[in-house]
Amino acid sequence: SDTTELWRSLGGDPLLVTQVLQVLIDKLKTPTSQEGRITSDTEIDRHLAAAEPLSATRAFFEVVLALQSSKAVQELLPELFPVLLQQVNRTLGQE
């Protein structure tokens, strides 16, 4: 898809990759705007609350997949690993 190509292109740029990865990590660290305070019981609201961090996780995957060097991931690994574990926990906690 076009979005996948965009993330891969960003991952292929050695000047941007560390910044892009840091922005995605920050996005994963930040609770979604609806997390913890969903006021509506509609299925759409729940879906949107769950989709945002999953989209950031998928984008992170595409950027890492396109990396020409793993140096950026190695530098961010101490911060990345707990964030991804937290995302797995959130995802498995979804009904």
Side-chain angles (χ1 to χ4, degrees):
S1 77
D2 292 337
T3 305
T4 300
E5 279 303 312
L6 171 70
W7 287 116
R8 287 184 184 170
S9 294
L10 290 170
D13 187 335
L15 299 174
L16 290 176
V17 72
T18 302
Q19 293 173 344
V20 169
L21 291 175
Q22 187 61 56
V23 167
L24 290 170
I25 287 172
D26 292 343
K27 185 66 176 169
L28 288 170
K29 283 181 173 180
T30 306
T32 63
S33 58
Q34 296 181 23
E35 188 173 319
R37 57 184 181 122
I38 296 175
T39 57
S40 173
D41 285 54
T42 67
E43 200 62 35
I44 292 172
D45 287 344
R46 289 181 186 174
H47 176 71
L48 289 174
E52 192 173 304
L54 291 175
S55 295
T57 303
R58 176 64 186 197
F60 196 94
F61 169 76
E62 294 299 338
V63 170
V64 169
L65 188 64
L67 285 176
Q68 301 298 322
S69 166
S70 62
K71 184 180 179 189
V73 175
Q74 289 174 353
E75 291 174 358
L76 295 171
L77 191 60
E79 186 177 4
L80 172 63
F81 189 67
V83 170
L84 289 176
L85 284 176
Q86 192 174 43
Q87 178 58 35
V88 167
N89 185 40
R90 281 189 209 142
T91 301
L92 292 177
Q94 297 292 322
E95 291 184 15

